[in-house]
Amino acid sequence: TGEMTSRKGRALLAELFLESGRNDEGQAVIEALAGTDPRDAITLYLKGRLALIQQRRVDARALLSQAIALQGAKAGPHLWLGQLELIEGHMEQGEALLQKAAQLDQEHALTHVLLAKLYLKQHRYERAETEALEVLRRNPAHLEAALLYGDSHAGRDNWGQAETIYARIRDQLPSSSLGYRKL
């Protein structure tokens, strides 16, 4: 189990590096993981994320799809493959993958934020509000979710509620121009 714990720790470290934009360090950790088991679902997932960051979309799609096939109960591959689908303009496939990711890991804010953005673009304002509230329920200080929540009200011409939300953002972040611009 020491090997497994070490492997999980390295996978978490690689993901942390990718999240923080330290892609070269993440790549080094991923390559070390791949050296021990290149066909492992977590390794494939991390290699897929790295490929997506590096704009190697074909590789990213193949790796993330393989990770889903091996371990479909993990949200990460669904999230990033869904984001790739959205980038490439495949809205229905992207939405389905993001919804699956949200189902598998309801705590992951990025999944809900991406769904809210998608729903705003599609003028599905109630759905956008639901996704933004899902994030705000867990983290009331999540700025992007608050903006999306306000935008969902603005999209429905509920100006009073939208202005209240934007004013709260302005009051909480007086040095930021976001709340002012939205108002």
Side-chain angles (χ1 to χ4, degrees):
T1 60
E3 166 82 19
M4 184 57 92
T5 303
S6 173
R7 193 163 171 70
K8 285 182 181 178
R10 286 185 286 169
L12 288 171
L13 180 62
E15 194 149 19
L16 178 65
F17 283 145
L18 296 179
E19 287 287 327
S20 62
R22 297 165 57 185
N23 300 333
D24 291 339
E25 293 168 277
Q27 183 171 359
V29 175
I30 293 167
E31 287 172 0
L33 284 169
T36 60
D37 189 358
R39 304 295 305 155
D40 172 63
I42 294 171
T43 303
L44 291 169
Y45 157 67
L46 290 169
K47 288 169 71 176
R49 272 200 70 188
L50 182 62
L52 185 58
I53 290 167
Q54 295 172 337
Q55 300 296 315
R56 295 182 294 119
R57 292 180 183 174
V58 172
D59 293 339
R61 179 180 304 286
L63 291 162
L64 293 168
S65 295
Q66 289 174 31
I68 289 171
L70 288 174
Q71 195 174 43
K74 293 290 185 184
H78 291 90
L79 165 66
W80 295 103
L81 186 55
Q83 189 165 3
L84 176 59
E85 293 289 358
L86 294 178
I87 289 168
E88 292 184 343
H90 310 130
M91 299 305 162
E92 288 179 21
Q93 296 93 326
E95 179 181 354
L97 285 161
L98 290 176
Q99 287 175 342
K100 180 67 174 178
Q103 176 188 358
L104 293 170
D105 183 0
Q106 296 177 7
E107 304 287 320
H108 201 274
L110 179 58
T111 304
H112 296 290
V113 165
L114 290 174
L115 280 168
K117 287 180 177 181
L118 174 63
Y119 294 145
L120 281 175
K121 286 180 186 176
Q122 296 173 337
H123 306 287
R124 296 163 64 190
Y125 301 114
E126 292 83 10
R127 300 283 307 264
E129 177 182 349
T130 300
E131 296 300 332
L133 282 173
E134 190 66 30
V135 176
L136 292 171
R137 185 171 60 81
R138 291 180 180 86
N139 180 3
H142 196 286
L143 177 60
E144 192 170 16
L147 289 168
L148 292 166
Y149 181 56
D151 291 349
S152 72
H153 284 284
R156 290 184 304 227
D157 295 332
N158 187 354
W159 299 111
Q161 185 66 26
E163 287 178 2
T164 300
I165 295 163
Y166 299 144
R168 286 184 184 157
I169 293 169
R170 180 200 61 207
D171 295 344
Q172 290 180 1
L173 300 169
S175 62
S176 173
S177 65
L178 282 173
Y180 294 101
R181 272 190 287 143
K182 287 291 188 171
L183 274 172

